[in-house]
Amino acid sequence: RVPHIPMHDEKVRGRLIGNYPGGITANFCCAAAALGAKVGAVCKIGQDDYGRMALRDLEERGVDTGHMVIDPECETYFCMVLLDGTGEKALTIVETSGFLPRPGEVDAAYLKTAGWVHMTSLDMGLTAWAAEALAGSGTRISLDIEATAGNCPWEVWERVLARTEAAFPNEAGLKALTGCGTIEEGAAWMLSRGVRLVVVTCGSDGVRIFHRGGSLFHPAYEVPVKDTTGAGDCFNAAFLTGIVNGWSLERCAAYASAAAAIAICSVGARTGLPDLAQIQRFLEERGERICD
């Protein structure tokens, strides 16, 4: 925790809050499992303290870890997160030799047993490999897109987007990928490239959802923010779990927005992950009654 995020050549005094398990895909898996989804994680870890902590937390939260890539020769990657008084974060990924799996380390047959495979834009080579491996399998792909999206050649993106069922860009990721000036233009660009559903998360400004039949907006809920780390991962997991359950987009948006709001009331990406009953109570306390 820091009084403010430091600027160039500035020193601030901080206080160590603790070590918490995290990671985009792993956070997503844990959030989905908390909501009743059957989930497996394929991430790379070492046989070090961070690796053991990561594996233990996944197992305790009901995530299948049978196809995790465990390499005794690598170091498990970690992040340094700075939190100021607003609860907003500044985050540095410390890439190690065990950052992400290589395609040859991933069991494609296991991926094909899933209804959905959720990927990130951190390694588009890996994501493109998975998209090719899953072609024709019936397994659908969802994709978390962040600001690093612009660092990949267009021909790779073209192959991936053509096979992406649901994309979850934040505003920075959408702009980096599409170069468009507005959210509407960026979402239309993605839909024209084959994506069927574009869910643009805008932090405290809510979420914008676009599909070929139209669009909708859901505001963010006001809560006392303690830590925004993992909020987007929690949102994406709740939204996609709703899709799997056959919910309307409106209900998916409400539940996902509520899930993220509950999560950011605790320090740590997974400390406050809610279950469905907690989300339902949260919505009812705000006068929203959403049919089962």
Side-chain angles (χ1 to χ4, degrees):
R1 185 175 300 282
V2 294
H4 61 271
I5 306 301
M7 302 294 289
H8 287 173
D9 198 31
E10 180 184 8
K11 296 176 183 178
V12 297
R13 292 188 177 187
R15 179 173 58 86
L16 180 64
I17 301 174
N19 291 323
Y20 295 84
I24 297 173
T25 305
N27 291 339
F28 176 97
C29 289
C30 290
L35 298 173
K38 184 179 180 181
V39 188
V42 183
C43 307
K44 188 170 186 175
I45 57 173
Q47 290 183 330
D48 49 18
D49 289 344
Y50 282 160
R52 285 186 286 271
M53 179 176 68
L55 190 64
R56 181 173 61 250
D57 193 72
L58 288 168
E59 291 172 343
E60 290 176 351
R61 293 178 184 276
V63 177
D64 176 19
T65 60
H67 290 78
M68 291 282 287
V69 179
I70 303 175
D71 184 350
E73 301 300 320
C74 81
E75 296 177 274
T76 305
Y77 91 89
F78 61 97
C79 298
M80 296 295 294
V81 182
L82 301 181
L83 289 179
D84 65 14
T86 68
E88 191 53 78
K89 67 182 182 299
L91 185 151
T92 299
I93 296 175
V94 183
E95 295 189 24
T96 66
S97 56
F99 183 46
L100 289 169
R102 295 187 299 271
E105 296 174 317
V106 178
D107 183 354
Y110 177 63
L111 300 186
K112 291 177 182 178
T113 67
W116 288 80
V117 168
H118 185 69
M119 303 288 293
T120 80
S121 60
L122 287 176
D123 183 343
M124 286 304 297
L126 177 63
T127 298
W129 171 85
E132 295 288 347
L134 293 170
S137 67
T139 298
R140 291 179 282 184
I141 294 174
S142 59
L143 182 60
D144 184 310
I145 301 173
E146 296 190 341
T148 55
N151 300 333
C152 176
W154 164 241
E155 56 267 22
V156 176
W157 271 108
E158 189 173 32
R159 297 200 306 271
V160 171
L161 293 178
R163 291 186 169 92
T164 298
E165 184 80 14
F168 292 90
N170 56 24
E171 288 184 90
L174 184 68
K175 185 173 183 179
L177 174 58
T178 68
C180 295
T182 69
I183 291 175
E184 292 82 0
E185 291 171 347
W189 185 96
M190 294 190 69
L191 292 172
S192 72
R193 266 69 182 178
V195 181
R196 294 183 177 274
L197 180 66
V198 181
V199 183
V200 186
T201 51
C202 306
S204 60
D205 291 327
V207 60
R208 306 281 302 277
I209 301 163
F210 302 85
H211 54 97
R212 293 173 187 176
S215 64
L216 63 100
F217 165 77
H218 195 284
Y221 294 102
E222 291 188 16
V223 293
V225 180
K226 291 187 177 180
D227 182 4
T228 61
T229 308
D233 307 327
C234 178
F235 177 96
N236 296 346
F239 195 101
L240 194 60
T241 298
I243 293 292
V244 171
N245 289 338
W247 297 352
S248 68
L249 293 178
E250 290 82 359
R251 186 182 182 192
C252 290
Y255 270 70
S257 299
I262 295 169
I264 63 178
C265 292
S266 302
V267 174
R270 305 180 197 167
T271 307
L273 293 178
D275 58 24
L276 285 174
Q278 289 174 284
I279 294 174
Q280 188 68 36
R281 286 196 300 272
F282 179 94
L283 292 172
E284 290 177 353
E285 287 170 359
R286 285 154 179 79
E288 297 185 34
R289 301 190 63 85
I290 300 175
C291 296
D292 292 333

